[in-house]
């Protein structure tokens, strides 16, 4: 299993949507500058690919993702969405949320870390389901 260091992969159309979101005032939003800066840093090192060349096992916008907490083996299923589509009751997590930032561009089988109120958690991406 790979650790956190790898090249992120973004679909070109997702990149355009996310860039527009960031440029349309996300910096001043409730997501905070740290989340925005983290995404921008990810963008700078990401590989952009066309829709028909995008790997099926990489987390992108609208991916359904099953992650497992490496400490307690609990799993959770979420969908990574644009901020205006986020709905915790439907397990739709904004890409601007720290969880969304941590997952986007990562592959099934990789381990990711994100900050939670009790500290830093490490999760393994168990499954990625992309509809398109």
């Amino acid at each position: 299993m790979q650790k956190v260091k790898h090249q992120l992969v973004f679909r070109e159309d997702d990149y355009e949507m996310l860039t527009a979101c960031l440029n349309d005032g996300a910096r001043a939003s409730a997501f905070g500058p740290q989340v925005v800066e983290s995404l921008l840093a990810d963008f700078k090192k990401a590989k952009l690919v066309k829709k028909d060349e995008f790997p099926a096992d990489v987390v992108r916008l609208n991916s359904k993702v099953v992650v497992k907490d490496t400490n307690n083996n609990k799993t959770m299923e979420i969908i990574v969405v644009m901020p205006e589509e986020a709905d915790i009751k439907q397990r739709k997590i904004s890409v601007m949320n720290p969880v969304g930032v941590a997952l986007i561009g990562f592959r099934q089988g990789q381990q990711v870390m994100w900050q939670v109120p009790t500290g830093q958690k490490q999760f393994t991406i168990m499954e990625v389901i992309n509809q398109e």
Side-chain angles (χ1 to χ4, degrees):
M1 232 177 271
Q2 293 179 327
K3 290 286 185 185
V4 174
K5 288 187 178 184
H6 75 292
Q7 183 176 27
L8 295 171
V9 178
F10 287 109
R11 235 173 70 169
E12 290 175 337
D13 54 342
D14 287 350
Y15 176 84
E16 295 299 324
M17 286 176 56
L18 290 168
T19 301
C21 180
L22 293 173
N23 290 335
D24 285 344
R27 289 177 191 265
S29 74
F31 304 116
Q34 289 177 323
V35 172
V36 173
E37 292 306 317
S38 179
L39 267 178
L40 289 172
D42 287 347
F43 281 12
K44 289 178 185 174
K45 56 188 172 185
K47 176 182 177 184
L48 299 180
V49 297
K50 296 185 184 314
K51 181 178 179 178
D52 59 343
E53 298 170 359
F54 191 78
D57 65 344
V58 174
V59 179
R60 62 174 296 269
L61 286 174
N62 300 309
S63 290
K64 186 182 291 185
V65 185
V66 178
V67 295
K68 180 172 75 171
D69 186 323
T70 56
N71 292 327
N72 62 21
N73 288 327
K74 289 185 180 180
T75 61
M76 141 174 91
E77 183 179 292
I78 60 173
I79 301 169
V80 180
V81 297
M82 290 295 287
E84 61 274 10
E85 299 170 22
D87 182 349
I88 196 69
K89 291 179 183 175
Q90 295 182 22
R91 297 185 314 261
K92 293 182 177 182
I93 305 296
S94 169
V95 68
M96 299 296 179
N97 176 295
V99 175
V101 171
L103 291 173
I104 193 121
F106 280 79
R107 290 183 181 272
Q108 183 172 308
Q110 290 184 305
Q111 294 180 348
V112 297
M113 289 189 235
W114 69 72
Q115 195 67 30
V116 295
T118 58
Q120 197 169 46
K121 291 270 193 174
Q122 185 170 351
F123 293 82
T124 301
I125 301 172
M126 302 304 294
E127 185 176 11
V128 177
I129 301 167
N130 288 313
Q131 299 302 327
E132 296 180 32

